Amino acid sequence: MPTSSTPARIAIIGGGPAGLMAAEVASQAGVAVDLYDAMPSVGRKFLLAGVGGMNITHSEAFEPFVSRYRERAPDIRPLLESFTPQALRDWIQGLGIDTFVGSSGRVFPTDMKAAPLLRAWLRRLRDNGVRIHTRHRWLGWNAGGSLRLNSPDGEISIAADAALLALGGGSWARLGSDGAWVSLLEEQGIAISPLRPANCGFEVASWSQHLQQKFAGAPLKTVSLALAGNPPRKGEFVVTASGIEGSLVYALSAEIRQAIEHDGSATVMLDLLPDHSLDKVIQALSKPRGSQSMAKHLKRRLGLDGVKAGLLRELSPTDAFDDPQRLASALKALPIPLVRPRPLDEAISSAGGVPFEALDEALMLRQMPGVFCAGEMLDWEAPTGGYLLTACFASGREAAQGMLRWLAGR
């Protein structure tokens, strides 16, 4: 037990945003913090998220922000109320890095990069006395309740007054989020919701060889997608050799995945011309085309060519091209049947994990006093746009405060 002359000691397993934020909060309270990560350096997935622009959070109003967490919004809400998106921006400012709001409402560091932020953050943690141990893979617990870790010098055991697990989800295993922790918690009797791909691409049963060879990798811009019973969303995505992926697909990925899990497949309706009404499209296609080919007619009247024309040919009945009204209907609602998500390791994030029902309000495992969980290993999901990172930061902060309260009450 810690005494007045011996500070409490906590162990944090995982060096992503949740673990690093917990290390900061705990170390500022005077607790001795050791952070362990299996990779050669911490924050690897965080750095990858910054490739092409570090989207740290989103500027939309709080209520719609919370709603992005879907069925887990009631569980995520108190975390965000304690550490709001604006508080996250203020925290980044405290590291000497300014942020700005992009045209989409997404928030970025002014230099758009993750590395300077991470460097400044690690400098602060080390100044606070946080000890970071890389190449230390967590192996569970020994019979005495100590943490087992595989280190460069072999297996070691760590006794801590409290422990935080912030091991990430199951996507991008090469960066450390490999989901290996699932079996370790299940061995302790913790029921884990299966890890599933989120913010991911999806596969069709098959594309024709022509579409694969000519259009795999081609972007579709200014289109909309919709699932039955849901309003369409406008944006862009990419046709792949096996299906579709990209920002617009990611925005619908939870609904698509759930439909596939329930029904075995899901059909999304593609509007190739969302800025044109159906009547306008019918009117354009009804004009005489004379000796022009249908391809030239579509391009001249509606600006339709390339991958959009390719998908229209791929997914429409041949005889629809003889009927302007049927062809117009296809252009406005082209069905894309999807049969499975792409593999978990390709996904931007994962759904599933430690259910909130297994945790108390401080994010401590009810069955394992003194063991807390945070970050993407919890059972929640959110779209891209800064929501993922914001909840990881907020949950790490909440778990650290929970550990401090628990240690104080022992």
Side-chain angles (χ1 to χ4, degrees):
M1 289 287 292
T3 66
S4 58
S5 59
T6 305
R9 182 186 184 192
I10 68 168
I12 296 174
I13 313 297
L20 294 173
M21 180 58 81
E24 177 174 331
V25 172
S27 61
Q28 287 176 339
V31 173
V33 178
D34 286 277
L35 185 146
Y36 302 90
D37 194 277
M39 303 303 288
S41 58
V42 298
R44 291 200 162 197
K45 194 173 179 183
F46 180 73
L47 290 173
L48 179 70
V51 174
M54 178 76 255
N55 177 201
I56 200 78
T57 189
H58 203 286
S59 64
E60 71 180 342
F62 188 75
E63 289 303 323
F65 191 104
V66 173
S67 73
R68 305 300 181 188
Y69 300 91
R70 298 166 49 83
E71 61 269 15
R72 284 304 188 182
D75 303 295
I76 299 294
R77 174 184 288 275
L79 310 181
L80 298 178
E81 288 175 340
S82 296
F83 194 61
T84 65
Q86 182 57 53
L88 176 55
R89 293 184 69 183
D90 295 340
W91 173 81
I92 294 171
Q93 178 76 41
L95 288 171
I97 295 172
D98 293 327
T99 59
F100 73 96
V101 179
S103 58
S104 64
R106 300 183 180 201
V107 177
F108 303 88
T110 51
D111 63 1
M112 300 289 287
K113 297 177 181 178
L117 192 161
L118 183 60
R119 283 196 299 269
W121 194 7
L122 293 176
R123 188 162 52 247
R124 174 187 286 178
L125 292 175
R126 291 189 175 101
D127 289 345
N128 287 349
V130 174
R131 295 180 293 270
I132 295 175
H133 311 269
T134 56
R135 302 182 191 273
H136 281 65
R137 176 172 289 276
W138 181 57
L139 303 174
W141 293 271
N142 62 22
S146 295
L147 297 161
R148 297 173 53 220
L149 295 116
N150 186 24
S151 78
D153 298 321
E155 185 172 327
I156 60 173
S157 297
I158 301 296
D161 297 301
L164 170 67
L165 305 179
L167 289 149
S171 63
W172 291 91
R174 65 184 179 86
L175 301 177
S177 297
D178 58 10
W181 53 268
V182 171
S183 60
L184 299 177
L185 286 182
E186 288 178 334
E187 289 170 2
Q188 301 298 317
I190 309 298
I192 306 297
S193 178
L195 297 179
R196 307 181 305 285
N199 292 297
C200 60
F202 291 86
E203 297 180 6
V204 297
S206 65
W207 289 133
S208 68
Q209 190 174 21
H210 171 76
L211 190 83
Q212 285 181 323
Q213 292 178 346
K214 192 165 185 180
F215 296 115
L220 283 108
K221 299 186 177 182
T222 318
V223 296
S224 71
L225 284 177
L227 272 168
N230 293 282
R233 293 189 184 219
K234 189 174 176 182
E236 58 185 72
F237 67 95
V238 174
V239 170
T240 70
S242 62
I244 59 176
E245 67 176 31
S247 59
L248 186 53
V249 178
Y250 302 155
L252 294 170
S253 65
E255 292 91 342
I256 295 172
R257 188 192 68 243
Q258 288 171 352
I260 291 173
E261 290 171 351
H262 186 267
D263 301 321
S265 65
T267 298
V268 291
M269 306 305 291
L270 170 62
D271 186 344
L272 291 167
L273 298 167
D275 295 331
H276 294 64
S277 67
L278 177 61
D279 288 342
K280 185 177 179 180
V281 177
I282 293 172
Q283 184 180 12
L285 292 176
S286 297
K287 294 183 183 297
R289 63 184 175 96
S291 61
Q292 280 188 331
S293 67
M294 178 56 74
K296 289 185 177 179
H297 187 54
L298 287 167
K299 183 174 182 180
R300 180 184 176 194
R301 295 299 178 187
L302 295 168
L304 199 82
D305 61 358
V307 65
K308 289 186 177 182
L311 279 175
L312 183 65
R313 285 284 182 186
E314 180 85 6
L315 298 169
S316 299
T318 302
D319 56 4
F321 289 84
D322 299 325
D323 182 340
Q325 189 158 345
R326 286 187 66 194
L327 187 58
S329 296
L331 282 163
K332 295 293 293 177
L334 198 61
I336 305 179
L338 303 171
V339 296
R340 69 185 67 87
R342 290 293 295 165
L344 174 59
D345 196 45
E346 294 181 14
I348 291 176
S349 59
S350 58
V354 179
F356 281 86
E357 292 76 15
L359 305 164
D360 68 12
E361 66 280 358
L363 303 183
M364 184 173 72
L365 286 167
R366 297 182 188 278
Q367 294 177 231
M368 302 186 71
V371 179
F372 296 72
C373 298
E376 199 182 330
M377 69 183 292
L378 303 182
D379 182 15
W380 59 277
E381 63 180 304
T384 57
Y387 307 101
L388 292 164
L389 276 175
T390 304
C392 285
F393 282 113
S395 65
R397 189 177 183 87
E398 184 66 28
Q401 292 171 340
M403 283 193 290
L404 293 173
R405 292 193 297 270
W406 186 78
L407 289 168
R410 291 181 62 187

